């Protein structure tokens, strides 16, 4: 659901963007390419001070928006990291891993594996925001959290505050689309014209005082004999 203004200061109009149903205004189209959820978390250190707060980007893994990613908190000692899995509608059978059974957030749950140590974010080597480098870290706990719950460990705590939806939009403007369409139509018409036009090959050869004429009809089109007679008549 979005609000659209045709021009600055105009009254906003509510619109819906769906997959395969873009939002169109003027010559611009806005396509919905992907969507998912970002958990809202608050991380505190051992003294209770907030060291991280906000939405965490996670990558959807299936059609039910099971999402995975990482939470990195470098501004504390020791540094803290979490491997996070978000399930909009959690379902977990006994002895089997958890999964999401529906893409809407009917029973959201955040699963986290907590690590402390060195995140290695200051060594100059780029890292993915979705992965946690645990080579120099120690796992200290696993926890499943509902919205509003807090997981406490020796070096701090994490509170699952909620979630926000996110979307990936592709904005396209093709001012030359009509020109390209007309060019394609003209090219097809030219091809059809060449296919339905009668093609003839005519050979003329002088042999002494005589002139020999021969012809070939491509595509076996009829009427070649009459045309050869017409040419002979004109040349005579």
């Amino acid at each position: 659901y979005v609000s659209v203004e045709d021009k600055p200061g105009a009254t906003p109009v509510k619109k819906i963007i769906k997959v395969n149903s873009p939002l169109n205004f003027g010559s611009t189209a806005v396509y919905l390419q992907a969507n998912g959820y970002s958990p809202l978390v608050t991380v505190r250190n051992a003294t209770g001070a907030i060291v991280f707060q906000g939405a965490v980007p996670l990558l959807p893994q299936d059609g039910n928006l099971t999402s995975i990613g990482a939470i990195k908190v470098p501004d504390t000692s020791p540094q803290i990291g979490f491997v996070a899995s978000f399930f909009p509608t959690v379902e977990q059978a006994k002895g089997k891993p958890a999964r999401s059974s529906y893409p809407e957030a009917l029973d959201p749950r955040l699963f986290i594996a907590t690590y402390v140590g060195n995140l290695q974010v200051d060594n100059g080597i780029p890292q993915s925001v979705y992965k946690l480098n645990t080579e120099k870290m120690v796992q200290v706990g696993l926890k499943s959290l509902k919205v509003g719950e807090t997981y406490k460990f020796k070096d701090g705590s994490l509170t699952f505050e909620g979630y926000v939806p996110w979307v990936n939009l592709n904005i396209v403007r093709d001012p030359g689309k009509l020109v390209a369409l007309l060019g394609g139509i003209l090219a097809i018409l030219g091809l059809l014209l060449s296919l339905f036009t009668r093609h003839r090959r005519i050979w003329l050869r002088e042999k002494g005082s005589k002139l020999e004429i021969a012809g070939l009809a491509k595509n076996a089109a009829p009427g070649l004999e009459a045309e050869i007679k017409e040419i002979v008549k004109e040349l005579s």
Side-chain angles (χ1 to χ4, degrees):
Y1 297 88
V2 296
S3 296
V4 179
E5 295 179 9
D6 291 335
K7 58 183 178 180
T11 302
V13 179
K14 292 184 178 180
K15 298 286 186 179
I16 299 176
I17 309 176
K18 299 180 180 180
V19 175
N20 298 324
S21 180
L23 169 65
N24 294 289
F25 54 96
S27 59
T28 302
V30 181
Y31 294 88
L32 176 63
Q33 291 189 319
N35 64 293
Y37 296 98
S38 288
L40 296 171
V41 300
T42 299
V43 181
R44 301 176 184 271
N45 59 17
T47 63
I50 296 176
V51 289
F52 178 86
Q53 188 174 43
V56 180
L58 300 182
L59 284 176
Q61 302 298 302
D62 54 35
N64 288 326
L65 300 184
T66 298
S67 305
I68 62 173
I71 305 171
K72 303 178 184 182
V73 187
D75 299 328
T76 185
S77 182
Q79 293 180 333
I80 305 172
F82 305 89
V83 176
S85 299
F86 179 76
F87 305 93
T89 302
V90 69
E91 181 180 281
Q92 187 173 20
K94 187 176 181 179
K96 294 185 178 181
R99 68 184 187 93
S100 178
S101 60
Y102 193 66
E104 189 175 351
L106 301 179
D107 186 13
R109 202 72 56 89
L110 180 66
F111 285 46
I112 56 171
T114 307
Y115 293 82
V116 296
N118 184 0
L119 290 170
Q120 302 185 66
V121 294
D122 301 321
N123 57 10
I125 300 176
Q127 290 188 12
S128 169
V129 297
Y130 303 107
K131 293 183 179 180
L132 186 70
N133 188 341
T134 60
E135 290 181 359
K136 297 183 179 181
M137 307 192 78
V138 178
Q139 183 174 341
V140 296
L142 293 168
K143 190 66 175 179
S144 169
L145 299 174
K146 295 181 180 180
V147 175
E149 291 185 339
T150 299
Y151 168 55
K152 295 182 179 181
F153 50 98
K154 178 182 176 182
D155 297 294
S157 65
L158 180 144
T159 302
F160 180 27
E161 306 284 2
Y163 55 89
V164 291
W166 58 264
V167 292
N168 183 5
L169 300 177
N170 184 25
I171 302 175
V172 179
R173 181 174 180 267
D174 295 318
K177 184 165 57 177
L178 181 59
V179 176
L181 176 61
L182 293 176
I185 293 174
L186 291 176
I188 293 174
L189 291 176
L191 177 61
L192 293 175
L193 183 63
S194 68
L195 292 176
F196 291 101
T197 300
R198 291 184 176 183
H199 293 272
R200 299 282 191 259
R201 285 185 177 181
I202 303 297
W203 289 270
L204 303 177
R205 182 174 66 178
E206 187 177 2
K207 192 173 182 181
S209 60
K210 295 182 179 181
L211 191 64
E212 294 183 346
I213 301 177
L216 173 66
K218 299 184 68 176
N219 302 328
L224 178 62
E225 295 82 358
E227 293 173 2
I228 291 293
K229 291 179 180 179
E230 181 106 11
I231 293 175
V232 171
K233 181 179 178 182
E234 290 292 333
L235 292 177
S236 300

